[in-house]
Amino acid sequence: MNAHIEPDTAPVLLRADQDGIATLTLNRPQARNPLGEAMLAALSEAFGAIAADETVRAVVLTAAGPVFSAGHDLKEMSGHRADPDRGRAYFTDILGRCSAMMQQITALPQPVIAAVEGTATAAGCQLVATCDLAVTGAQARFCTPGVHIGLFCSTPMVALSRNLAAKHALEMLLLGEMVPAEEAARMGLVNRVVPAGAALAEALRLAGVIASKSTATVKVGKRAFYQQREMGLAAAYDHASAVMVENMLARDAEEGIGAFMGKRQPVWNGN
């Protein structure tokens, strides 16, 4: 849909909304969709707007071109090595902005589904790992290659270590090798593998299923999931029990249980 827009004037991020699903498309294919200043700002702004948009029930994150995202814009970052502090302040700022954007995804009330074709490397792989769900085409590949250039993928490590078993995460981080789609699914980095070119369609299908549920319930559940994951076992059970009590008292739970017992479709009101 952007065939007639010159690459240097095209927006770095596209948004399309339909049936309660917001689709965000990384749109710098000529540069391999890097998470540079402009992209981070655009993603942060989009997630901020979506968080406040009650018409959005789910989010799909995809990318234009053959590369999902190559991660940080190393050319942009290297340009600051000539700064008086050799780039320390800039590196601290840009990495902080990237980390804040990743945390926006986790804090977003709506589930975010990555639809990946091609390669997702370094912070691009981190972005996939940060999304709540991920669907990948059969030809997609994933990598945290920083170790090859003397730059350990420490921030991608945060997302990887919270999604993969420790040995799988360390294998990716220490070897820096490309991981095929099927292996990524076995490791737990992605939920499912579909034929090449079908990732977006499958992600939209999953988003549609989520969009049919009570938005209030999904919001409560996503927030509770990430909160309890950082707790000890006993604290996690206490927290989850308290959440479930409040959930049971919600109107949508009353409606859903009543509909189930009455063998009818529930009518959600978002409360």
Side-chain angles (χ1 to χ4, degrees):
M1 67 181 138
N2 292 289
H4 302 296
I5 301 177
E6 291 299 319
D8 60 349
T9 61
V12 298
L13 184 70
L14 306 176
R15 175 176 171 176
D17 290 67
Q18 186 174 358
D19 300 328
I21 302 168
T23 301
L24 301 178
T25 304
L26 308 182
N27 192 43
R28 283 195 66 201
Q30 72 282 3
R32 303 193 301 169
N33 296 313
L35 298 181
E37 294 178 21
M39 188 70 79
L40 289 175
L43 283 167
S44 182
E45 181 179 358
F47 289 133
I50 288 169
D53 190 343
E54 295 184 356
T55 68
V56 177
R57 294 168 171 262
V59 180
V60 170
L61 181 62
T62 188
V67 174
F68 180 80
S69 176
H72 289 294
D73 191 330
L74 294 181
K75 183 178 180 180
E76 192 176 75
M77 295 177 74
S78 294
H80 287 269
R81 288 197 180 278
D83 294 353
D85 63 354
R86 299 182 57 240
R88 178 182 293 274
Y90 179 80
F91 301 155
T92 300
D93 177 66
I94 199 71
L95 290 170
R97 281 195 260 171
C98 185
S99 296
M101 183 276 292
M102 298 289 178
Q103 291 175 77
Q104 278 184 283
I105 294 175
T106 303
L108 204 68
Q110 304 92 336
V112 181
I113 307 171
V116 186
E117 302 284 356
T119 58
T121 60
C125 184
Q126 176 187 359
L127 183 58
V128 176
T130 300
C131 290
D132 304 302
L133 302 176
V135 178
T136 179
Q139 301 303 314
R141 297 187 299 167
F142 304 84
C143 183
T144 49
V147 68
H148 298 314
I149 60 172
L151 184 65
F152 198 83
C153 286
S154 299
T155 44
M157 174 181 68
V158 175
L160 285 178
S161 66
R162 282 163 169 72
N163 281 262
L164 279 62
K167 285 183 170 58
H168 287 154
L170 281 168
E171 180 180 340
M172 289 190 69
L173 294 162
L174 292 171
L175 300 184
E177 296 177 342
M178 282 289 184
V179 175
E182 290 288 353
E183 183 69 4
R186 186 183 72 82
M187 287 181 167
L189 178 59
V190 301
N191 294 84
R192 58 190 63 186
V193 180
V194 296
L200 178 57
E202 177 64 5
L204 288 169
R205 186 189 71 80
L206 295 179
V209 174
I210 292 170
S212 71
K213 312 303 181 185
S214 160
T215 55
T217 302
V218 170
K219 177 181 178 180
V220 165
K222 176 178 172 176
R223 182 174 62 234
F225 175 83
Y226 288 111
Q227 289 174 333
Q228 64 81 28
R229 189 174 61 167
E230 303 301 323
M231 300 175 181
L233 183 64
Y237 269 116
D238 287 345
H239 179 70
S241 295
V243 169
M244 202 159 187
V245 168
E246 295 304 316
N247 196 173
M248 276 292 291
L249 295 172
R251 293 296 184 186
D252 271 5
E254 184 178 1
E255 165 63 14
I257 293 170
F260 174 76
M261 295 175 65
K263 298 181 180 181
R264 60 176 176 81
Q265 287 296 314
V267 179
W268 309 121
N269 62 19
N271 296 310

